[in-house]
Structures are given as C-alpha cells and as structure tokens.
Amino acid sequence: MQQINIINAKDHVDEKVKIGVWLTNKRSSGKIAFLQLRDGTAFFQGVVLKNNVSEEVFETAKELRQETSMWITGVIHEDSRSKFGYEIAVETIEVVGESEDYPITPKEHGIDFLLDHRHLWLRSSRPHATMVIRNEVIRATYEFFNKEGFTKIDAPILTGSAPEGTTDLFHTEYFDRDAYLSQSGQLYEEAGAMAFDKVFSFGPTFRAEKSKTRRHLIEFWMIEPEMAFMHQEQSLEVQEQYIAFLVQNVIDHCKDALDTLGRDVETLKRYTQLPYPRISYDEAVEMLKENDFDVDWGVDFGSPAETFLADHFSQPVFVLNYPKSIKPFYMKPHPTRKDVVICADLLAPEGYGEIIGGSERATDYNYLYDQIIKAGLDPKEYGWYLDLRKYGSVPHSGFGLGLERALTWITGEDHVRETIPFPRLLNRIYP
Ligand code: 4AD
C-alpha cells in the first residue's frame, strides 16, 4: 500500500492508501464518524462507517482527541461537496501520539492567546494558507531573479554599518567592539553589483523601531536586488515586473490557500497589469492637499495618506523623488534640484502602504563622504563602501522589498504579524 500526502489525493482516487495525519476536529453519531484531518500538506475529511470497520476502529475513532497523530489507511473518493474535493473512507487507525487537551479549539480566541500559542497555531488552516503563499513568494523570487540573470550574494547579519539611520539599530557586542544586527544588506549588495553586475540578497533584517502598527515587525525579511549600469527608471521596470510575477505565481499556484483566506483573485489579477502609475512626491503632496490632508512639503506620508494615494489609482503606485532630508545618505542627488533625491517608494493599494523602497545610488566619492559625515556616521566604518566609488564607479540602482509587507497585501491579511512564522513585535519574542 502506498503512503501518500493529502495534497496528492487526486492522483489516488479509488486506491487504498496510507497517510500520517493529525485530527483537527471530529463529529460522530451512532453509525458514522467524520474526522477532519490534516497532514501538513492539506486538510480533508475521513469518514469512518461503523458497518465497514471493526468495532475497535470505530470506538478508537469516536474517542480521538484533537491533534492526536495517527496512521490511517483507507480508500480515496471524490467528494464534490467538500472544499478539498476528496475524502478518505477510513479502514484502519493506528494512534501514534496521544494529545492532551489542545488549547486551540474551533471557537474564537483572542489575538494575544493565539500569538502565545503560535507554535501550535501554525497548524490551523489560516496561518497554514498564509505560509503556503509565503513559500510560493520566496520560490517565485528565486525564479524571477535567476531568470533575469541575477546572482544571489548573501549579506552579513552582523555589521558595523547603519544604512538606514542610527535611531533603530540593534546593538550587540562583537568581542571587544560594537556591532549591529543588519538593517539592510544594501551596501554589501552594491559591492556585489560591482563584481557580478546584477545581484540580490534575501535575509532577515532588524529594526528596533518602537512602532506598534500593523505594518511594523522588529525582525523582517527583505529581498534586495542591486544592478550595475542601471538608472532608476530601468530599476522601476524591474520592480513592477517582479511584483506582477509574484502576484501571478500566487494566483497560479496557491488557489486553495487564497480561497481559505477569502482573498479575491479578480482583485489580485488587476495587480498583474503593467505599468504601475508613477507620480512625483511633489504631485503626491498636491493631490493630498486637494483632498484635505494636512501635509506640508518635506514630511514623510503617514499611513492614511499612503492609503489614499494607492487607492486613488487602484494599483500599486510609485512615488518618486522624495525630499533629501527624509531619505538615507546613499541616494543619488537630483541633477537639477538640490532638495530631492532619485528614489521611489512603491505603495500598495487597499491600505497596505509601502512595500518597496529603492533608489539610484550616489556615485561620487566626495559627495558620499560628505553625506556620511552629515548623517553622523563614522567614515572609517564606510571606507570599504567609499572604495566602490574610487575604483570604477558606475551608475547603479536597487531596491528592497519587505517580504512580510508584500505578503500582507497579497494575502489580504490585516496585520504583518500573520505573514511570518514567529513574529518579533515590540513586546513579543515568545515563542
Ligand atoms: O525603505 P527601507 O528602509 O529601505 C531599505 O532598507 C533599503 N536599504 C532597501 C534597498 O534599497 N536595498 O525598507 C525597505 C522595505 C520597505 O519598503 C518595507 O516593505 C520593509 O522593507 N520594511 C519593513 N517591513 C516590516 N517591518 C518593518 N519595521 C519594516 N521596515 C521596512
């Protein structure tokens, strides 16, 4: 008898199979027991008919507790009434691990309770569906950048540099000196681009931000491509093609997961249509003012303003060329305006806000040296970075996609914490 996974049930209709499963829920009457089962790949139903199995099997089925693990054998049938489309007519049950009273029951639980039990909650259908989509987005990311000729260059996690400013650094000791957990791999990717032309990194990044919003994690994963001999306009094209590719792959490969989450596929399809609109920061400020937002030129947009801008276009929208004063030191200055830099944020619609931040990078040694000093950073720590401008400096551009921000938008979840297996939040490092 073949051992299979539930996800492959469709290939084994009318066959007798063996599956290792956990019980998620159960209903039974005098003659029949319905077992809701999961094996990590999918969820489906097992039907135990008293008349078809031994008395011992039927009694075992009736007594099973939630999350008991077991081997079952039985025949797969099509079941057009169920969401999954297949079920198993159970013949034997062999309990592998008994379960104590399981804390997460089918009733509603509060969010703190669920976060305290995240190690168990991951087994439930909603977080499971979200992680399936996370996995697909990561897979499609590697596919996209490989097909576009990028080389993956891993950036260090322990570092002496602070590309995104010193206010939210995680400090640590590195033997007899100070170090930080990486806020961004970008500076290292710039070195990579000078050696490999087009590179990307994918790794955890850390921001000790005291923000308690639905968009902020303390530890999040970032995808950071960097491209040599490339100006910002070409980088925007790579960005929108990448996002459309991710959305299309999720639509193509994660139908059941989207269905579990109640995410409308027609809405997602709209996001595969390119190009995405582009507006300048100046235009965005004007639009916001005309719509009664209290914004002045020179400030960063809050989340209601970002929501308004992207919803206005019903598409992700690039906002270009922000004020220099609110952006990091490494961005290329605008050729004709002193007050703005060549950069763009990509804002996702439906209230999800910024999912990408990117820019063309400053190429001039002296300019960059000055910016490092003005940012209050120690130029000695950036000697290696400045070297990139000494030995054949070229125009180059790159960007960072916050994986969890993008996933929150793609899945339609309402908090970024749902999209990472074990979220690190302002007051949470357990489990
Ligand atoms: O805009 P950020 O800070 O840009 C950088 O770090 C650049 N060095 C990237 C680059 O050009 N290589 O962050 C990039 C993205 C944001 O658009 C957002 O999606 C995500 O990272 N992000 C966060 N996600 C979750 N929690 C947080 N606290 C985040 N901060 C940024």
Side-chain angles (χ1 to χ4, degrees), residues 111-131:
I111 190 65
D112 274 321
F113 177 87
L114 288 173
L115 285 171
D116 284 341
H117 292 88
R118 184 68 175 171
H119 52 298
L120 301 177
W121 183 25
L122 274 179
R123 304 177 182 194
S124 303
S125 58
R126 233 187 138 82
H128 190 275
T130 312
M131 292 311 133

Side-chain angles (χ1 to χ4, degrees), residues 345-364:
D345 285 355
L346 181 65
L347 310 182
E350 303 177 74
Y352 291 99
E354 182 199 326
I355 56 172
I356 289 184
S359 68
E360 188 159 338
R361 319 306 190 186
T363 48
D364 180 71

Side-chain angles (χ1 to χ4, degrees), residues 163-164 168 183-187 189-190 201 205-209 211 213 215-226 327-328 330-331 344-346 353-359 361 397-406 416:
E164 304 305 316
D168 59 10
Q183 290 173 312
S184 157
Q186 177 196 320
L187 307 190
E189 295 314 298
E190 289 185 54
S201 63
T205 45
F206 306 85
R207 307 262 171 112
E209 279 173 285
S211 308
T213 78
R215 297 176 181 182
H216 284 90
L217 291 166
I218 303 298
E219 178 179 306
F220 64 96
W221 287 66
M222 203 170 5
I223 291 129
E224 295 189 88
E226 195 69 32
K327 287 293 180 187
Y330 52 72
M331 293 185 177
D345 285 355
L346 181 65
E354 182 199 326
I355 56 172
I356 289 184
S359 68
R361 319 306 190 186
S397 304
F399 61 95
L401 172 87
L403 175 65
E404 292 79 11
R405 290 262 186 101
V416 71

Side-chain angles (χ1 to χ4, degrees), residues 154-397:
D154 300 312
I157 303 296
L158 288 166
T159 158
S161 56
E164 304 305 316
T166 49
T167 49
D168 59 10
L169 281 173
F170 262 109
H171 177 256
T172 182
E173 283 170 18
Y174 193 77
F175 306 107
D176 56 354
R177 56 155 294 174
D178 293 324
Y180 312 107
L181 299 184
S182 174
Q183 290 173 312
S184 157
Q186 177 196 320
L187 307 190
Y188 298 97
E189 295 314 298
E190 289 185 54
M194 301 304 138
F196 295 85
D197 184 39
K198 287 189 278 189
V199 296
F200 73 109
S201 63
F202 173 50
T205 45
F206 306 85
R207 307 262 171 112
E209 279 173 285
K210 295 252 156 69
S211 308
K212 208 175 170 185
T213 78
R214 59 195 192 92
R215 297 176 181 182
H216 284 90
L217 291 166
I218 303 298
E219 178 179 306
F220 64 96
W221 287 66
M222 203 170 5
I223 291 129
E224 295 189 88
E226 195 69 32
M227 300 153 286
F229 290 103
M230 197 170 278
H231 292 290
Q232 172 73 348
E233 183 47 43
Q234 295 159 284
S235 170
L236 297 185
E237 286 171 18
V238 174
Q239 294 175 41
E240 61 191 0
Q241 283 160 15
Y242 170 45
I243 296 294
F245 186 81
L246 293 183
V247 173
Q248 188 62 53
N249 273 275
V250 169
I251 293 171
D252 292 346
H253 300 136
C254 303
K255 195 180 154 302
D256 288 349
L258 290 171
D259 202 35
T260 299
L261 298 173
R263 185 60 162 139
D264 176 37
V265 173
E266 291 310 310
T267 308
L268 285 180
K269 280 189 186 153
R270 203 168 63 228
Y271 305 145
T272 62
Q273 282 156 29
L274 298 182
Y276 295 152
R278 289 137 165 81
I279 56 168
S280 68
Y281 173 88
D282 297 355
E283 286 165 337
V285 170
E286 284 314 308
M287 270 177 68
L288 289 165
K289 278 186 170 156
E290 278 163 21
N291 288 278
D292 299 329
F293 281 86
D294 185 18
V295 286
D296 287 320
W297 196 97
V299 298
D300 217 348
F301 302 138
S303 76
E306 288 188 350
T307 300
F308 170 81
L309 291 170
D311 282 352
H312 178 82
F313 295 97
S314 314
Q315 277 287 73
V317 53
F318 287 112
V319 180
L320 313 184
N321 303 347
Y322 281 71
K324 183 174 167 186
S325 55
I326 55 170
K327 287 293 180 187
F329 71 88
Y330 52 72
M331 293 185 177
K332 187 178 174 66
H334 192 279
T336 58
R337 281 181 60 183
K338 270 189 152 134
D339 53 348
V340 298
V341 279
I342 307 291
C343 68
D345 285 355
L346 181 65
L347 310 182
E350 303 177 74
Y352 291 99
E354 182 199 326
I355 56 172
I356 289 184
S359 68
E360 188 159 338
R361 319 306 190 186
T363 48
D364 180 71
Y365 181 96
N366 293 327
Y367 173 83
L368 202 50
Y369 187 93
D370 272 2
Q371 295 307 305
I372 288 171
I373 303 278
K374 282 189 182 137
L377 302 170
D378 177 0
K380 280 205 290 305
E381 282 300 337
Y382 297 82
W384 67 271
Y385 183 64
L386 286 161
D387 270 356
L388 306 175
R389 276 70 183 171
K390 279 208 253 174
Y391 306 107
S393 189
V394 298
H396 62 290
S397 304

